[in-house]
Amino acid sequence: REISRCKIIFWMSRADRVYRTFVPVKFFSKGWGCLETLRKIWRWQVDYSRHRDDYYRRIVLDHDVKIDESHAREDLEILNGHFVSPLAVHEPGLLPSESEKARFQVVLPKKWKSQSRSICLHLAGTGDHFFWRRRNLMAKPLAREKGIASILLENPYYGIRKPKNQLRSSLHHVSDIFVMGAALIVETGVLLNWCRQQGFQSLGVTGVSMGGHMASIASCFWPHPLAVVPCLSWSTASCVFTEGVFRDACAWPVLQEQLHVSDHSSLIKQVTF
């Protein structure tokens, strides 16, 4: 079964590569994005990394999480919920309005295989809109075979949270990736804290490709024990855009032209994530 699932993921990746060759829309078609957005994200990143515990108490603890509905299946229970992204509360204007409400799905086994209930948060890879892929390939098998629950978080700019004028996964600005990452850091913290409040004792976070990269980053800001399983990811995504499957999918002429503007060039050299 594990080999079968790996084959499915492999062929889905190949399909994504082929599909990309037929899609004329480019990533970052509108350039680097607002300079002020880049400045805010850069300052926020530095400040958060230096004062993690303070940010955790101020942003993550006691954040309101709502369960909207639940569906009972033969051997599973599926919950749908939402909360307002802490990034929208503490840094208003960074997220597009469609992305401000974070939506998630919980997949619970009806029969737990140990008294220590475990749950894993699955972050989405590039192009993984809505929940069906992670739910069917990862969450349901985990619940049925291992008795482990899952939470599936919808990325900002994806699925229900996608801006109306954005086509599929083609982000308009480079800054959108930075905003997405900042939002996922605090949203991951909110969901992990909610899991602790619900009595889950063993927590984990994982993801494939971009999801694994985001899981690695988000885990650095969580102050409690946490299992981290990044899959098919690395310490940077730059090679994917410069050498990998997305190298022909970026609006390089637009980005190059904007780099000639001194303000863009000097600021972008300062920003790391």
Side-chain angles (χ1 to χ4, degrees):
R1 291 183 180 180
E2 294 295 331
I3 294 175
S4 177
R5 283 198 290 269
C6 288
K7 286 182 177 179
I8 292 173
I9 294 173
F10 170 78
W11 285 110
M12 290 179 72
S13 177
R14 292 292 296 272
D16 286 343
R17 183 188 291 266
V18 173
Y19 174 79
R20 170 47 60 184
T21 64
F22 293 100
V23 178
V25 179
K26 302 285 188 179
F27 285 105
F28 320 133
S29 59
K30 297 184 180 180
W32 294 95
C34 175
L35 284 176
E36 186 56 33
T37 295
L38 289 170
R39 287 192 182 95
K40 283 184 177 180
I41 290 296
W42 183 58
R43 290 196 297 264
W44 182 90
Q45 168 202 334
V46 173
D47 195 37
Y48 201 151
S49 63
R50 290 175 178 173
H51 308 286
R52 184 188 67 175
D53 292 343
D54 178 61
Y55 267 74
Y56 172 75
R57 288 190 295 269
R58 184 161 56 91
I59 295 178
V60 172
L61 285 180
D62 301 322
H63 196 84
D64 191 28
V65 176
K66 297 184 182 298
I67 299 298
D68 301 316
E69 58 183 358
S70 65
H71 303 281
R73 305 290 172 86
E74 183 177 342
D75 55 349
L76 301 171
E77 184 177 7
I78 298 178
L79 313 177
N80 290 306
H82 77 275
F83 57 94
V84 176
S85 175
L87 191 67
V89 175
H90 296 276
E91 294 289 349
L94 289 184
L95 282 167
S97 58
E98 298 91 339
S99 297
E100 290 184 348
K101 183 181 289 186
R103 299 183 182 274
F104 65 95
Q105 191 169 92
V106 185
V107 179
L108 300 169
K110 285 194 172 180
K111 293 183 178 179
W112 300 90
K113 296 193 175 182
S114 68
Q115 293 183 345
S116 175
R117 297 192 303 163
S118 302
I119 191 165
C120 184
L121 172 59
H122 302 258
L123 298 181
T126 302
D128 190 356
H129 295 255
F130 305 105
F131 305 119
W132 68 269
R133 188 183 300 184
R134 285 170 288 161
R135 181 177 63 239
N136 291 309
L137 293 180
M138 303 295 288
K140 286 184 176 180
L142 268 180
R144 288 168 174 157
E145 298 171 17
K146 304 297 183 181
I148 297 175
S150 295
I151 296 188
L152 317 174
L153 174 62
E154 182 86 274
N155 273 12
Y157 300 93
Y158 276 25
I160 299 175
R161 304 180 71 183
K162 183 176 72 65
K164 293 179 181 179
N165 61 347
Q166 176 185 303
L167 180 62
R168 288 182 54 80
S169 312
S170 299
L171 303 182
H172 289 158
H173 308 99
V174 174
S175 60
D176 294 343
I177 287 187
F178 291 86
V179 174
M180 178 193 291
L184 286 173
I185 287 172
V186 288
E187 290 168 15
T188 294
V190 167
L191 287 177
L192 291 175
N193 185 65
W194 179 81
C195 290
R196 283 166 56 91
Q197 293 174 340
Q198 303 308 306
F200 290 98
Q201 298 178 23
S202 300
L203 308 182
V205 60
T206 187
V208 176
S209 188
M210 182 181 72
H213 183 66
M214 293 298 184
S216 299
I217 295 174
S219 66
C220 295
F221 295 89
W222 178 249
H224 303 292
L226 181 68
V228 184
V229 187
C231 303
L232 304 177
S233 65
W234 196 238
S235 57
T236 176
S238 61
C239 57
V240 178
F241 292 97
T242 58
E243 303 173 20
V245 66
F246 294 147
R247 66 181 183 274
D248 297 322
C250 297
W252 295 114
V254 176
L255 299 174
Q256 181 68 26
E257 181 181 353
Q258 290 186 1
L259 270 183
H260 291 306
V261 180
S262 59
D263 285 347
H264 276 85
S265 181
S266 60
L267 178 62
I268 289 166
K269 288 178 181 178
Q270 299 176 44
V271 176
T272 58
F273 204 47

